[in-house]
């Protein structure tokens, strides 16, 4: 697994200091379970948080500030807790790491084909994920090979983590383990690659805004 797209510094820091909601944390933690780069970033950010949390002001981080602090931490290993990657389970060809696995399966180990997929239409399926957090919705999405998701904008933010297959979004390619962050400024039409269904975790904090009137018509029935 070669991961090209990682969690942003700001999101990673907020995760580490515990200010993310359950739904956002689910996406970040599941990516970190697959990604040694972000796992290391979380450990360092947690260490930073322990040292600097009282000094963190609630404003956006300056560009480069996160890397500057990481560089400082690299010189003092005593600040870092031991690395302990999350356990990873594989069902079929789909890596299903914690904490996503427990949200989906409980303690049962089942195959990908046995997952309780629900039809979304146009060949797509999803599995809504139950959260205590009502500020966002999370779902496992399965987009059929070669097919697009209908063009849509966002009323808020969307986090997408690819677990299997891949999709193109404009000129960008998102493969297994890749993490995409979008906000209300983006209108896009991601398309699954031709030879494999794309399975991803998607978290949104507002309903999508579809360009296609048919998609808008069925949207209330799909809760997307
Ligand atoms: Zn990463």
């Amino acid at each position: 697994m070669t991961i090209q797209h990682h969690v942003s510094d700001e999101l990673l820091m907020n995760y580490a200091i515990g200010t993310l909601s359950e739904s956002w944390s689910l996406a970040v933690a599941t990516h970190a379970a697959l990604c040694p780069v972000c796992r290391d970033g979380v450990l360092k950010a947690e260490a930073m948080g322990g040292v600097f949390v009282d000094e963190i002001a609630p404003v956006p981080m300056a560009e480069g500030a996160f890397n500057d602090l990481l560089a400082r931490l690299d010189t003092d290993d005593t600040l870092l807790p031991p690395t302990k990657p999350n356990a990873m389970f594989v069902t079929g060809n789909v890596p299903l790491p914690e904490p996503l696995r427990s949200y989906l399966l409980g303690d049962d180990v089942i195959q990908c084909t046995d997952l309780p997929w629900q039809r979304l239409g146009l060949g797509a399926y999803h599995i809504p994920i139950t959260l205590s957090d009502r500020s966002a919705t999370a779902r496992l999405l399965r987009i059929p090979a070669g097919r697009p998701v209908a063009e849509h904008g966002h009323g808020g933010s969307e986090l997408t983590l690819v677990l299997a297959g891949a999709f193109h979004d404009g000129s960008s390619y998102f493969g297994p383990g890749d993490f995409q962050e979008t906000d209300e400024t983006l209108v896009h039409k991601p398309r699954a690659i031709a030879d494999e269904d794309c399975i991803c975790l998607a978290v949104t904090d507002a309903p999508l805004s579809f360009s296609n009137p048919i998609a808008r018509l069925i949207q209330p029935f799909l809760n997307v």
Side-chain angles (χ1 to χ4, degrees):
M1 184 178 292
T2 303
I3 296 176
Q4 302 288 343
H5 300 278
H6 298 276
V7 179
S8 68
D9 293 345
E10 186 172 356
L11 200 58
L12 207 60
M13 175 58 87
N14 283 324
Y15 171 77
I17 63 177
T19 59
L20 289 186
S21 67
E22 179 191 13
S23 47
W24 258 224
S25 292
L26 170 63
V28 172
T30 304
H31 170 83
L34 296 169
C35 177
V37 172
C38 287
R39 211 157 51 232
D40 190 49
V42 169
L43 291 174
K44 290 177 177 175
E46 285 174 346
M48 267 191 278
V51 175
F52 299 115
V53 70
D54 290 338
E55 301 171 16
I56 295 174
V59 296
M61 293 176 66
E63 188 172 353
F66 186 75
N67 286 334
D68 290 346
L69 284 171
L70 289 185
R72 288 166 57 189
L73 282 170
D74 276 337
T75 65
D76 187 357
D77 287 339
T78 61
L79 287 172
L80 303 181
T83 299
K84 186 180 179 186
N86 286 344
M88 183 182 295
F89 295 83
V90 178
T91 60
N93 65 345
V94 179
L96 204 55
E98 295 289 3
L100 177 60
R101 177 182 177 277
S102 291
Y103 273 87
L104 279 173
L105 307 180
D107 294 328
D108 298 329
V109 177
I110 59 177
Q111 295 300 308
C112 180
T113 50
D114 298 329
L115 289 170
W117 293 107
Q118 301 175 21
R119 186 184 298 273
L120 266 176
L122 300 175
Y125 291 81
H126 74 157
I127 304 172
I129 295 170
T130 302
L131 301 164
S132 304
D133 169 19
R134 300 295 181 188
S135 67
T137 61
R139 72 191 70 241
L140 206 62
L141 268 177
R142 194 173 94 206
I143 310 300
R147 300 289 290 273
V149 176
E151 183 179 86
H152 63 275
H154 308 83
S157 300
E158 180 178 53
L159 304 179
T160 304
L161 168 64
V162 179
L163 296 169
F167 68 87
H168 291 282
D169 194 354
S171 60
S172 298
Y173 173 90
F174 292 84
D178 279 332
F179 191 87
Q180 185 187 41
E181 299 178 40
T182 62
D183 59 25
E184 65 277 4
T185 63
L186 179 71
V187 175
H188 65 161
K189 188 178 181 179
R191 178 184 290 272
I193 58 171
D195 51 357
E196 186 178 357
D197 288 358
C198 181
I199 296 176
C200 54
L201 169 66
V203 180
T204 54
D205 64 2
L208 305 183
S209 174
F210 288 101
S211 306
N212 184 305
I214 295 176
R216 287 202 300 272
L217 197 64
I218 62 174
Q219 185 175 9
F221 304 101
L222 303 179
N223 191 30
V224 294

